[in-house]
Amino acid sequence: MEPTVRTHPTRRLPAALVLTAALLVTGCSEQSDDGREPAATESSGTPHGYVEGAREAAEEQSRLILGDPGTGASRVLDLVTGKVHESAPVTGADGLSTDGRFGFFHTDRGTHVVDGGAWTVDHGDHVHYYRAAIRHVGDLPGGRGAEIRSDAAVTAATDPEGRTTLYDRTALEKGEVGPARTLDGVHAGAVVPYEEHLVALAGDDESAEVAVYDRSGRRVASPDATCERPAGDAVTRRGVVLGCADGALLVSAEDGTFTAERIPYGQDVPEKERATAFRHRAGSDTLTAPAGERAVWVLDVTDRDWTRVRTTGPVLAANTAGEGSPLLVLESDGALHGYDIATGRHTARTEPLLTRTAKTPAGAAAPVVEVDRSRAYVNDRTGKRVYEIDYNDALRVARSFDLDIAPGLMAETGR
């Protein structure tokens, strides 16, 4: 499927993107129009980083998984080639999340899993980028509202009652939902795979204590920390961040020992202005979260510091690429705004990107701002369009993609 791609060439594309496209054409055997990867060629040996059924590339192979909650239609937009791949419909979905490779559509029947066919493997001193076939994997049973968290080995699905089911992620990579096992106990919020363990908050929604389990489900550590009215979590290079009434807890591991450090707001924060849902660029240690109607929290995990940035209008979504990058806020005027995090100064604004925002149906999924290493993406449900923004160039609209569905749900993979 060929979308209408509108470029806005006030600047040349970054050299890395041009190089990526050239490498894909000359060395990576481009994916076919139906989303299938060509067969691997024979070689004299198995190269380092080889993954069966996948192609390795020189740069991130970013893709957007898109869903139309009204019709159930779904698409995958390849941001390297600009092609849109049609995928099987997912009816009844009202939410979409990702672990960097898989998209998880949340429905009243459970969680439907889509392999976006693009991912990154970080070995610390070097990184591998892969692209493979796009395919529907299957359903994780259960009702609506499950919190899904993954690492390279396990996917944890925590239902609204706090019960957690663990799935073998390598089975998902093979295109199937493998055997599952249940983690004992009830937990507040998501159970988060981290450092070959599982980090959780044992207790209820009013007060819970940090608990660490091994992969078999055995409790192996209990850092001396509690979290009042927990909400929100994120995995960073510094550890797992858990949102609490007075700020956040940072759970980290060193030489197999887990500790929990409190990062308080440093001020009294009304409950409606707490950070309860974090967004950030994968690999970044800078988190964002709405702070009430007209402000955004920025948490610098490295410096253990909260900053509250006031906005010019009501906040629909926010994100940032991290240190040195602007805070990106999609506001009720339909425009994307840029703010200097250190000073709070308003630095840039796009023209309105969203179509008829005032007529968005009640209960419809809010738009999102996805951020990677060089671009940000905004989905316009009503206008059936996705915008690509160069956040390092005064929020220049680099490309826009006209679609045949209303992309009310969006998540970026390949990271």
Side-chain angles (χ1 to χ4, degrees):
M1 180 178 299
E2 297 288 348
T4 301
V5 182
R6 305 180 190 277
T7 58
H8 305 261
T10 57
R11 298 284 194 279
R12 292 184 178 180
L13 287 174
L17 290 180
V18 177
L19 175 60
T20 300
L23 285 169
L24 285 170
V25 172
T26 61
C28 289
S29 299
E30 180 55 60
Q31 189 180 55
S32 62
D33 287 343
D34 60 4
R36 293 176 298 178
E37 289 291 330
T41 57
E42 294 184 4
S43 62
S44 58
T46 301
H48 170 66
Y50 171 77
V51 175
E52 184 177 0
R55 296 281 181 170
E56 189 166 5
E59 299 290 339
E60 278 187 345
Q61 300 299 291
S62 298
R63 292 171 175 173
L64 295 176
I65 299 178
L66 304 166
D68 184 335
T71 66
S74 67
R75 303 286 186 267
V76 178
L77 169 58
D78 190 318
L79 294 168
V80 174
T81 66
K83 293 182 179 179
V84 174
H85 301 281
E86 185 172 351
S87 52
V90 184
T91 58
D94 65 354
L96 173 62
S97 57
T98 184
D99 63 3
R101 173 173 177 173
F102 295 97
F104 301 100
F105 284 93
H106 303 285
T107 77
D108 55 6
R109 303 177 307 280
T111 303
H112 185 74
V113 185
V114 176
D115 186 346
W119 68 96
T120 297
V121 177
D122 188 347
H123 290 294
D125 60 344
H126 67 286
V127 179
H128 295 274
Y129 305 104
Y130 296 101
R131 59 189 292 118
I134 300 161
R135 57 185 174 183
H136 285 251
V137 176
D139 295 309
L140 308 183
R144 192 182 299 275
E147 299 275 3
I148 312 295
R149 304 291 185 268
S150 298
D151 64 5
V154 66
T155 293
T158 305
D159 68 20
E161 286 72 45
R163 297 184 297 266
T164 300
T165 304
L166 304 176
Y167 296 90
D168 181 357
R169 192 171 184 272
T170 59
L172 298 182
E173 293 170 358
K174 296 176 182 178
E176 59 190 35
V177 177
R181 63 186 188 277
T182 302
L183 185 66
D184 290 339
V186 175
H187 301 92
V191 171
V192 183
Y194 170 69
E195 289 292 323
E196 301 182 4
H197 288 74
L198 303 167
V199 174
L201 287 168
D204 56 35
D205 291 338
E206 287 301 314
S207 181
E209 62 178 3
V210 177
V212 179
Y213 303 88
D214 64 17
R215 290 290 170 72
S216 68
R218 182 172 61 95
R219 190 162 175 168
V220 296
S222 299
D224 185 18
T226 58
C227 183
E228 303 298 323
R229 297 190 296 281
D233 61 271
V235 177
T236 73
R237 292 183 180 273
R238 306 286 175 176
V240 178
V241 174
L242 304 171
C244 306
D246 62 350
L249 286 175
L250 175 63
V251 181
S252 56
E254 184 173 355
D255 298 328
T257 300
F258 285 81
T259 59
E261 179 182 353
R262 196 170 298 279
I263 308 176
Y265 289 121
Q267 57 184 283
D268 291 332
V269 176
E271 187 167 354
K272 67 179 182 180
E273 297 180 4
R274 284 182 47 206
T276 58
F278 296 107
R279 302 278 297 182
H280 70 307
R281 177 182 63 80
S284 168
D285 293 327
T286 305
L287 309 182
T288 67
E293 187 178 65
R294 303 175 73 96
V296 174
W297 285 113
V298 179
L299 173 57
D300 185 328
V301 181
T302 301
D303 291 340
R304 315 292 201 266
D305 181 59
W306 291 93
T307 301
R308 190 173 187 271
V309 178
R310 297 189 64 85
T311 58
T312 60
V315 176
L316 300 180
N319 212 330
T320 184
E323 184 178 0
S325 297
L327 170 64
L328 305 176
V329 184
L330 186 64
E331 300 184 14
S332 60
D333 62 359
L336 187 67
H337 297 251
Y339 295 87
D340 181 272
I341 294 174
T343 65
R345 184 171 61 89
H346 186 266
T347 58
R349 176 187 180 276
T350 67
E351 293 299 314
L353 303 178
L354 304 188
T355 305
R356 298 193 301 276
T357 57
K359 297 183 180 181
T360 299
V368 298
V369 179
E370 289 281 5
V371 176
D372 59 31
R373 293 183 177 181
S374 62
R375 295 288 190 266
Y377 299 91
V378 176
N379 56 321
D380 177 14
R381 180 193 62 82
T382 305
K384 296 186 176 181
R385 187 177 295 113
V386 169
Y387 292 95
E388 179 183 76
I389 309 296
D390 185 348
Y391 54 78
N392 289 315
D393 188 11
L395 306 190
R396 176 177 61 88
V397 178
R399 292 185 292 179
S400 58
F401 301 89
D402 293 334
L403 304 167
D404 66 338
I405 69 168
L409 305 174
M410 182 177 77
E412 185 176 0
T413 65
R415 300 175 295 178

